Amino acid sequence: EMAADTTFTKILVGLNVDELSVPPVSVLKVKKVIRSISYEEAKSLVEEIFSTENYEKIYHIIKSQKPVV
């Protein structure tokens, strides 16, 4: 379910996840997000999240990511 939520796609890519299991209805949305980001960008996001100790700041970092539609 997390893999189908495009809010987390960049994070999963940054974590070096190379296979995602998503429902057929989500495949095109997730592919579009993956194609629109770079690995370096995703890895940088994950490093920022890992270096943040405050839950509220992590939540803000995740929510501040612009969704790809």
Side-chain angles (χ1 to χ4, degrees), residues 5 7 19-21 24 26-30 36 45-46 48-49 53-54 57-58 61 63 65 67:
D5 184 342
T7 303
E19 290 184 23
L20 302 173
S21 178
S26 300
V27 170
L28 293 177
K29 285 192 315 185
V30 171
S36 72
L45 173 63
V46 169
E48 180 181 5
I49 290 170
E53 296 181 15
N54 182 300
K57 289 181 183 178
I58 293 171
I61 292 168
K63 289 298 178 182
Q65 297 301 303

Side-chain angles (χ1 to χ4, degrees), residues 44-56:
S44 175
L45 173 63
V46 169
E47 289 171 358
E48 180 181 5
I49 290 170
F50 282 170
S51 69
T52 303
E53 296 181 15
N54 182 300
Y55 167 78
E56 290 177 4

Side-chain angles (χ1 to χ4, degrees), residues 2-69:
M2 182 180 186
D5 184 342
T6 56
T7 303
F8 299 104
T9 304
K10 187 188 277 189
I11 295 169
L12 293 171
V13 170
L15 289 170
N16 233 1
V17 174
D18 61 359
E19 290 184 23
L20 302 173
S21 178
V22 299
V25 69
S26 300
V27 170
L28 293 177
K29 285 192 315 185
V30 171
K31 283 176 77 172
K32 186 174 183 178
V33 172
I34 291 171
R35 289 180 177 164
S36 72
I37 60 174
S38 70
Y39 174 71
E40 291 77 21
E41 178 184 353
K43 188 172 179 179
S44 175
L45 173 63
V46 169
E47 289 171 358
E48 180 181 5
I49 290 170
F50 282 170
S51 69
T52 303
E53 296 181 15
N54 182 300
Y55 167 78
E56 290 177 4
K57 289 181 183 178
I58 293 171
Y59 180 82
H60 177 70
I61 292 168
I62 292 170
K63 289 298 178 182
S64 70
Q65 297 301 303
K66 294 181 181 178
V68 177
V69 183

